[in-house]
Amino acid sequence: MACKVLRPESLSTAEAEQFSAYARAWPTLCQGDNVSLYPDASCADEPFDAARYSSVGSLTSAYAAFHAYSLSTQKPEGSLKTLFYVPNQYGFGNRLRSLKSALLIAMLTGRVFFIDWSEPYPVHMLLRPAQIDWRLETLEALTDVKAHRAGAQVLCLPFGAQHARTTGHNCQRGLSSVQREDLTRAWTADALEVHSFTDLNIYLANNPYYEPLLTRLGRECPKRMGCLYRFLFSAQPVVQERLDAISPPGAPGHIGVQVRNRLWLQDSHRIRVSNAGDRIVSCLAAWVPPNENVFFTSDDDSLYAAAQKRWGSRLRLQQGKVYQAWSQGSAIDASKLKDDDEEAVLKAVVDWFALEASTSIIYTTGSSFGKTAAESSSVVNIDLNHTKCRAHAAAGRDWSNAWPTDPSAVSYDTSLVPGAKGSSF
């Protein structure tokens, strides 16, 4: 697969030193927040125990140190416990939400986390490690990864598009496990693969083994542990360059507006209204104050003309086409990628970061792309569709009198999520 723009980026000297510093800190941080309970620093070679940490900050700092320490020491064969996140099909937002929750499982089970995301393009060409080095090449420098994963267990879910590597595995067991089991005891192989497009925190949050810890952490890191996105990754330089072109450093900020038109269309059929682009943009514009810059992104190219008509010179966007495989949730054959697919994938990633960096976020109800950007951000957000637009208009609600004030307020509806608490499926 030849790439014209995307390329792997090595860690900088400063980044490499950062991970070395994390590794050196582990023999102290392994003791947990209450040193009187864990006074012996020899705990460095014990499994990571998330229960020892009472805050999100101490948990993430300790896990970063544990991760780096595990990769900096020569461990005896069979002593390295790993977790590999393998995305199923579906789009970028679905991949991100399952990626985040797979990291959470790694933290809860004391495993060293890696990302095995090779299509349509390797993830390390798009996303850069932030606090942990999750690149497969880092592990490959230490051990025979193929041999290490030969006996891997696979945790998958019994619904949705499954990756080919889940064939023959008991995905119903995976669902029941994240709902009610101690995952450390349930999954004992040295290597564990997690295949999903779903936010597994939906199930973990009600698992009796983890509910108290996740409830406590959720007070500091709400929105289904959304703070873990920035812990995991930042933008690669090729992404950051385009972000800087959209909104140069020091320039005034922008309100982020995202349209998942397939969902707007479905809602328009339900309540029998027009799904014309002007109508959609008019609904969104009710929540954009005058004179504010707007970053706009959509999975439908036809919406951009309506956005340009509405916001004119205030509009910020990235030109380019939609990557249809992600938009439609279809299977990806990396051998059939075209040059313009690379640009389309890059556009999707740049758009997500630009939305996430907005001063406030307006996204489509039910869209994982918009919702994950809102989860990662600390700014206020609101989700809209035709139904909500009509209700807001009838009640006279708009940016001037009803903009949310709580950044942690993200709307979740799990009534149609199989296996979720309160779901009928």
Side-chain angles (χ1 to χ4, degrees):
M1 172 179 25
C3 294
K4 291 189 174 182
V5 178
L6 300 177
R7 60 185 183 276
E9 297 280 353
S10 300
L11 295 180
S12 67
T13 301
E15 288 170 322
E17 174 51 34
Q18 169 187 283
F19 290 128
S20 296
Y22 288 163
R24 292 192 297 271
W26 175 238
T28 299
L29 294 180
C30 68
Q31 299 173 69
D33 292 341
N34 193 333
V35 179
S36 64
L37 293 178
Y38 311 102
D40 189 353
S42 64
C43 62
D45 290 318
E46 295 177 4
F48 181 82
D49 184 359
R52 292 186 175 188
Y53 305 95
S54 59
S55 70
V56 172
S58 62
L59 173 64
T60 53
S61 294
Y63 185 78
F66 160 76
H67 196 285
Y69 179 83
S70 298
L71 298 179
S72 69
T73 57
Q74 191 66 39
K75 290 188 172 292
E77 190 67 28
S79 64
L80 185 65
K81 293 282 190 177
T82 55
L83 185 147
F84 299 87
Y85 166 68
V86 185
N88 290 345
Q89 303 300 339
Y90 293 99
F92 188 61
N94 283 299
R95 289 170 178 236
L96 289 186
R97 65 181 185 175
S98 53
L99 167 67
K100 169 204 65 178
S101 56
L103 169 65
L104 186 57
I105 289 179
M107 288 178 163
L108 295 174
T109 58
R111 291 177 177 271
V112 185
F113 182 76
F114 296 97
I115 303 176
D116 184 0
W117 173 338
S118 58
E119 45 72 24
Y121 302 96
V123 67
H124 63 277
M125 293 183 173
L126 298 158
L127 306 180
R128 194 168 188 81
Q131 302 300 305
I132 59 172
D133 187 358
W134 38 253
R135 300 171 303 159
L136 285 181
E137 65 186 69
T138 304
L139 183 60
E140 288 166 351
L142 299 175
T143 190
D144 182 341
V145 175
K146 185 175 181 180
H148 176 70
R149 296 179 70 176
Q153 292 177 297
V154 172
L155 192 164
C156 53
L157 300 184
F159 45 82
Q162 297 295 331
H163 195 284
R165 282 154 64 176
T166 64
T167 302
H169 292 279
N170 184 352
C171 294
Q172 183 60 50
R173 185 204 169 195
L175 176 59
S176 62
S177 183
V178 294
Q179 287 174 316
R180 60 183 66 95
E181 290 186 326
D182 179 339
L183 299 179
T184 304
R185 294 182 179 180
W187 306 87
T188 58
D190 290 339
L192 175 64
E193 296 185 7
V194 173
H195 299 246
S196 176
F197 72 93
T198 302
D199 189 339
L200 298 171
N201 192 57
I202 294 171
Y203 312 106
L204 290 170
N206 296 307
N207 182 318
Y209 288 95
Y210 306 111
E211 184 175 10
L213 174 62
L214 294 181
T215 298
R216 185 172 74 245
L217 297 175
R219 298 188 187 105
E220 293 180 70
C221 182
K223 299 181 286 188
R224 290 183 180 161
M225 297 297 292
C227 63
L228 293 182
Y229 290 112
R230 293 187 182 186
F231 175 80
L232 263 174
F233 58 76
S234 61
Q236 280 287 19
V238 66
V239 175
Q240 189 61 54
E241 289 166 8
R242 299 191 181 203
L243 289 170
D244 291 342
I246 293 169
S247 182
H254 56 249
I255 290 181
V257 177
Q258 178 254 352
V259 173
R260 181 74 161 100
N261 199 32
R262 187 168 74 174
L263 297 178
W264 283 84
L265 180 61
Q266 290 172 359
D267 194 47
S268 73
H269 289 162
R270 276 194 295 270
I271 66 172
R272 300 178 184 275
V273 297
S274 167
N275 196 55
D278 286 345
R279 178 183 174 84
I280 294 173
V281 171
S282 177
C283 172
L284 300 165
W287 296 89
V288 177
N291 304 318
E292 291 277 2
N293 294 318
V294 175
F295 172 78
F296 181 80
T297 180
S298 173
D299 64 335
D300 186 336
D301 294 336
S302 69
L303 270 294
Y304 286 92
Q308 185 68 62
K309 180 180 176 182
R310 168 66 66 164
W311 290 301
S313 62
R314 293 189 286 140
L315 185 66
R316 296 175 179 176
L317 51 81
Q318 183 188 197
Q319 300 292 341
K321 72 166 194 172
V322 173
Y323 182 53
Q324 290 300 327
W326 275 358
S327 177
Q328 298 170 2
S330 56
I332 296 170
D333 183 347
S335 68
K336 296 181 180 179
L337 291 169
K338 308 178 185 67
D339 288 346
D340 57 354
D341 286 329
E342 182 183 1
E343 282 293 333
V345 168
L346 183 55
K347 171 177 164 47
V349 177
V350 173
D351 283 356
W352 186 89
F353 275 103
L355 189 65
E356 189 253 7
S358 302
T359 57
S360 54
I361 299 172
I362 304 167
Y363 69 96
T364 299
T365 302
S367 168
S368 59
F369 188 93
K371 185 171 289 185
T372 51
E375 288 177 342
S376 179
S377 173
S378 60
V379 303
V380 293
N381 61 87
I382 186 170
D383 63 291
L384 298 174
N385 58 11
H386 288 297
T387 298
K388 291 188 175 184
C389 180
R390 188 160 68 177
H392 290 323
R397 293 191 294 268
D398 60 22
W399 69 270
S400 67
N401 60 25
W403 186 262
T405 58
D406 180 6
S408 68
V410 173
S411 174
Y412 292 107
D413 178 9
T414 59
S415 61
L416 300 180
V417 178
K421 186 176 182 180
S423 171
S424 56
F425 287 81

